[in-house]
Amino acid sequence: MWYFKSPEVVYGDDALGYLDTLPGNRAFIVTDPVILELGFAALVEEHLNTAGMQTAVFAEVEPEPSLQTVRRGAATMRDFAPDWIIGLGGGSSMDAAKAMWILYERPDLDPAEINPFTELGLRQKARLIAIPTTSGTGAEATWGIVLTDEVEQRKLALGSREALPDIAIVDPALVINLPPQITADTGMDALTHAVEGYTSAWHNDFCDGLCLQAIKLIFEYLPRAYARGSEDPEAREKMHNAACIAGLGFGNSMAALAHAMGHALGGVFHVPHGRAVSIFLPYSIEFTVRGGGTRYAEIAHFLGLAAGDEATGARSLVEAIRKLARQINQPQTVRELGIAPAEFEANLPKLVTNAETDTQMVTSTRMPSVEQCEQLFRYAYEGREVDF
Ligand SMILES: [Zn+2]
């Protein structure tokens, strides 16, 4: 027995208008200072006020949100006593909103106890709406929560199916002016979700079609969205949809090795999530295909690339991903991130430990040993083709 979970997805032009008639009394918006500055929180408040709601804004979410911020936000939330919680922003704000919501409903809970096997009993006090302002994380359609433990210098991957947003509002107006670098980082994150969602050990019939469609949309529209920005509203809308579709896909089949390694890297060196995970995607494919039982050739075939056998398909897919990354000026190696060799070597044991213990490692079809994991990090640092 397993589940396919999805929020109600409201998408397309004027999707935010959905809020105008939302029933309820008090809405608490969780966001970050940049989104506040851009006026998006005020825009969402306007819609909620039209619905007759009182609103409060917590705009202190930092990139890679910390446990401390989440605890502070949950305390503010308890004072305001909302019946709706709105996560507005990128993955950080939406994840922070999920975690704050859980602690608001369950103040007795230690965040480390948030796992898929613990019944939380949410929705006694409030429900959750997620509104993405980037096209990448798909956090509006997933129940995973990534927080940073600043003391331990590692990512905490938490999650509960109950923490899935009730409603996802995917409005392209919120991403029309996204800066190119964020378009690139988050777009590559979405691609990594879709590829890993299709090939993870937990891949399933319900997610396959979603992942393939997201992959197709991203290869077609990410270069356009990156190069033309607000002049190409079609590319913006397609990328916004693609990120959510990829979220629905991998959210129900999990990610894999590239995410485990990317989480590890991001926890130590503070590399943006999408850049961190997508750097490892080609290396993880090269490594995983050597273990057999993969289905990269199916993706390659779907994209019209050479896919005569599994190894050929994997190679074409890796080439296509590298070409896409070059088109949008993304780094292809860990060294290109500006991490000095000595610094990298000094932190290698920590990277390996963090990757090996990451939740997304379990769903990789070929799990590297500690030695292989260390070697994979070295190859990704140097940009070498994986041959083991
Ligand atoms: Zn991701």
Side-chain angles (χ1 to χ4, degrees):
M1 183 175 74
W2 200 238
Y3 310 86
F4 181 87
K5 298 282 283 185
S6 171
E8 178 174 18
V9 180
V10 186
Y11 62 95
D13 277 344
D14 194 35
L16 273 183
Y18 178 90
L19 296 173
D20 294 351
T21 53
L22 193 71
N25 301 309
R26 300 164 79 76
F28 188 94
I29 300 168
V30 178
T31 191
D32 66 60
V34 177
I35 295 301
L36 187 73
E37 180 78 12
L38 287 169
F40 290 163
L43 182 65
V44 168
E45 280 189 291
E46 248 171 64
H47 284 286
L48 292 163
N49 295 152
T50 303
M53 269 191 249
Q54 284 185 48
T55 51
V57 179
F58 178 88
E60 295 171 35
V61 179
E62 69 275 54
E64 331 289 325
S66 69
L67 275 173
Q68 290 75 8
T69 302
V70 163
R71 288 209 169 97
R72 211 167 56 244
T76 316
M77 205 178 268
R78 276 193 286 277
D79 291 340
F80 184 71
D83 44 21
W84 283 104
I85 291 152
I86 320 268
L88 171 69
S92 299
S93 288
M94 290 187 281
D95 278 11
K98 290 173 197 169
M100 288 174 196
W101 174 40
I102 295 172
L103 297 185
Y104 165 56
E105 299 254 355
R106 290 287 309 273
D108 57 303
L109 209 66
D110 184 312
E113 292 173 61
I114 304 169
N115 67 62
F117 311 105
T118 306
E119 197 172 320
L120 300 174
L122 301 182
R123 297 180 174 78
Q124 305 298 316
K125 297 177 180 169
R127 286 189 287 162
L128 178 67
I129 296 176
I131 308 177
T133 59
T134 61
S135 305
T137 68
E140 68 276 15
T142 65
W143 46 265
I145 301 167
V146 182
L147 300 178
T148 297
D149 186 333
E150 286 175 340
V151 183
E152 300 287 330
Q153 265 201 333
R154 66 183 292 254
K155 299 274 179 172
L156 287 176
L158 314 170
S160 160
R161 280 195 298 277
E162 291 175 58
L164 186 80
D166 295 279
I167 298 158
I169 299 182
V170 184
D171 190 326
L174 298 176
V175 290
I176 190 79
N177 291 312
L178 209 59
Q181 184 61 64
I182 299 178
T183 302
D185 285 338
T186 52
M188 289 304 280
D189 185 27
L191 179 68
T192 309
H193 293 157
V195 171
E196 296 209 294
Y198 190 80
T199 55
S200 89
W202 290 4
H203 69 79
N204 60 73
D205 293 342
F206 290 86
C207 299
D208 283 356
L210 293 164
C211 291
L212 287 178
Q213 180 64 8
I215 292 168
K216 190 172 144 194
L217 289 172
I218 294 161
F219 271 108
E220 187 169 348
Y221 292 102
L222 179 55
R224 276 174 51 180
Y226 176 80
R228 302 176 59 195
S230 62
E231 287 165 23
D232 196 340
E234 188 196 13
R236 287 298 198 196
E237 181 168 1
K238 293 289 189 183
M239 276 306 299
H240 213 34
N241 291 347
C244 184
I245 293 167
L248 285 170
F250 99 98
N252 286 284
S253 64
M254 298 298 125
L257 184 55
H259 265 78
M261 296 178 74
H263 284 156
L265 189 77
V268 176
F269 291 109
H270 303 290
V271 181
H273 171 81
R275 204 178 308 166
V277 299
S278 63
I279 270 193
F280 294 113
L281 184 60
Y283 305 98
S284 75
I285 294 172
E286 288 172 349
F287 173 77
T288 307
V289 75
R290 299 173 73 90
T294 54
R295 32 191 229 153
Y296 298 113
E298 290 180 21
I299 299 176
H301 177 74
F302 183 74
L303 293 171
L305 306 170
D309 55 35
E310 189 57 21
T312 310
R315 203 171 313 119
S316 335
L317 181 60
V318 163
E319 277 168 20
I321 293 167
R322 292 217 159 104
K323 184 175 160 216
L324 175 65
R326 275 196 300 277
Q327 277 179 300
I328 59 172
N329 299 308
Q330 285 293 85
Q332 313 254 352
T333 68
V334 176
R335 188 199 287 269
E336 287 172 52
L337 292 170
I339 297 166
E343 203 185 353
F344 175 73
E345 281 298 324
N347 283 285
L348 194 51
K350 184 171 245 165
L351 290 175
V352 172
T353 308
N354 287 2
E356 288 279 321
T357 53
D358 191 273
T359 52
Q360 303 305 293
M361 189 60 97
V362 188
T363 44
S364 305
T365 49
R366 186 183 178 205
M367 280 184 249
S369 65
V370 170
E371 293 72 27
Q372 286 172 327
C373 191
E374 187 179 307
Q375 213 171 346
L376 267 178
F377 272 113
R378 286 217 167 90
Y379 273 47
Y381 186 85
E382 304 281 344
R384 288 177 64 181
E385 187 181 333
V386 178
D387 53 4
F388 59 91

